[in-house]
Amino acid sequence: MHFQGYWKDKVVLITGGSSGIGLAAAKLLAASGAHLWLTARRADVLEAARQQVEAHRHADASPCKTEAADVSEAEQAAAVVQRVQREAGRLDVVINSAGITLPGYFQDLPLEEFQKQMAVNYFGTLYVIRAALPQMLERGSGHIINISSMAGFLGVFGYSAYGASKFAVTGLSEVLRAEMKPHGIRISVAFPPDTDTPQLAFETPYKPPETKALSGTAKALSADVVARAILEQAARGHFLIFPAFDSRLFYILSTKLPKWLVFAVLDRIAANGQKRGG
């Protein structure tokens, strides 16, 4: 189905919609005629995002609406979903883009950091889905798009907290794909590579040298490029979404090659980074 044709008139909720991939996706969807709802923690940043989305809004689409919430809190996640369903009459698509990361050596990361990243990245995704599914099941339609990461299928040096949370998102998505298929509900999971977002700018100074060496194997993509690829592949009904050649390649290599060989390559890159980092 044509990119814009699939999204036109759909009611879409985007978590983490105030910046990065979520905001980029919102602009594209608004231009395609979707009815947009954005949520994030900070109301002021959400308002700035709303204004940007409005500048791209298709004439047939409703004005973009926002609701500040912390999706790592089950009650707040449910309240956002309920508001969308109440005011829009339905919720067709959920894009779970809310996410945080702080890289570092496992032994140096505070325990609270593991809990925080799991709370936002995994449970934030879970809570929104749990709230949205009952109406989708009753209707027999819907589409849930979860944003995982290349670190969600491949253990990446320096991402013990982030990777664990994104592996959880991937695992949840695989189970939901099977369980929701008989009910007419689509599930997609995306594996973006490094993407030029405020989050990437925040985390870069904290990356160990080994992590920087691994990240340096490919240039960060723009959020617009990644968001468009995600939406295009989701519109075509893909479950596994690879927004870039390198993410698809690494997935193929990590699933088709012997693990010892994959680990040997990653270890060599990390070792080189460690030497350069001194």
Side-chain angles (χ1 to χ4, degrees), residues 198-214:
Q199 178 63 59
L200 182 64
F202 166 79
E203 70 179 86
T204 297
Y206 296 96
K207 289 181 178 179
E210 297 90 343
T211 310
K212 290 180 179 178
L214 291 163

Side-chain angles (χ1 to χ4, degrees), residues 25-84:
K27 294 175 184 177
L28 291 168
L29 288 168
S32 299
H35 309 295
L36 266 296
W37 288 75
L38 308 181
T39 186
R41 286 175 294 179
R42 293 176 51 190
D44 57 335
V45 181
L46 261 179
E47 173 56 24
R50 186 195 67 79
Q51 293 177 18
Q52 293 182 55
V53 173
E54 279 293 287
H56 294 78
R57 179 163 60 92
H58 190 281
D60 295 335
S62 303
C64 176
K65 295 187 178 181
T66 63
E67 176 79 3
D70 181 352
V71 294
S72 70
E73 298 289 338
E75 296 80 7
Q76 294 187 42
V80 171
V81 171
Q82 290 162 7
R83 183 188 169 197
V84 176

Side-chain angles (χ1 to χ4, degrees), residues 25-220:
K27 294 175 184 177
L28 291 168
L29 288 168
S32 299
H35 309 295
L36 266 296
W37 288 75
L38 308 181
T39 186
R41 286 175 294 179
R42 293 176 51 190
D44 57 335
V45 181
L46 261 179
E47 173 56 24
R50 186 195 67 79
Q51 293 177 18
Q52 293 182 55
V53 173
E54 279 293 287
H56 294 78
R57 179 163 60 92
H58 190 281
D60 295 335
S62 303
C64 176
K65 295 187 178 181
T66 63
E67 176 79 3
D70 181 352
V71 294
S72 70
E73 298 289 338
E75 296 80 7
Q76 294 187 42
V80 171
V81 171
Q82 290 162 7
R83 183 188 169 197
V84 176
Q85 292 172 335
R86 182 174 63 252
E87 295 188 18
R90 68 185 194 279
L91 176 55
D92 299 308
V93 181
V94 171
I95 301 178
N96 283 304
S97 187
I100 59 171
T101 182
L102 182 69
Y105 297 115
F106 174 83
Q107 64 271 24
D108 294 339
L109 288 172
L111 183 59
E112 292 76 14
E113 195 58 46
F114 289 86
Q115 296 166 333
K116 181 179 176 183
Q117 292 185 48
M118 188 64 77
V120 175
N121 300 344
Y122 175 67
F123 282 105
T125 296
L126 173 68
Y127 294 149
V128 173
I129 294 172
R130 287 278 291 190
L133 268 182
Q135 190 190 71
M136 290 184 176
L137 287 167
E138 183 178 346
R139 227 175 41 240
S141 66
H143 196 163
I144 295 168
I145 303 168
N146 297 326
I147 310 299
S148 183
S149 165
M150 286 178 62
F153 65 77
L154 184 66
V156 179
F157 194 111
Y159 285 119
S160 54
Y162 180 70
S165 67
K166 290 299 189 177
F167 262 85
V169 170
T170 302
L172 175 65
S173 301
E174 290 189 0
V175 174
L176 288 176
R177 182 209 63 80
E179 292 192 14
M180 294 300 116
K181 189 173 183 179
H183 300 284
I185 298 170
R186 288 183 174 183
I187 306 294
S188 299
V189 57
F191 303 104
D194 274 351
T195 306
D196 187 9
T197 64
Q199 178 63 59
L200 182 64
F202 166 79
E203 70 179 86
T204 297
Y206 296 96
K207 289 181 178 179
E210 297 90 343
T211 310
K212 290 180 179 178
L214 291 163
S215 298
T217 58
K219 182 180 179 181

Side-chain angles (χ1 to χ4, degrees), residues 248-258 262:
R248 185 184 299 274
L249 176 63
F250 270 101
Y251 183 84
I252 293 172
L253 293 178
S254 66
T255 54
K256 302 300 182 184
L257 292 178
V262 176

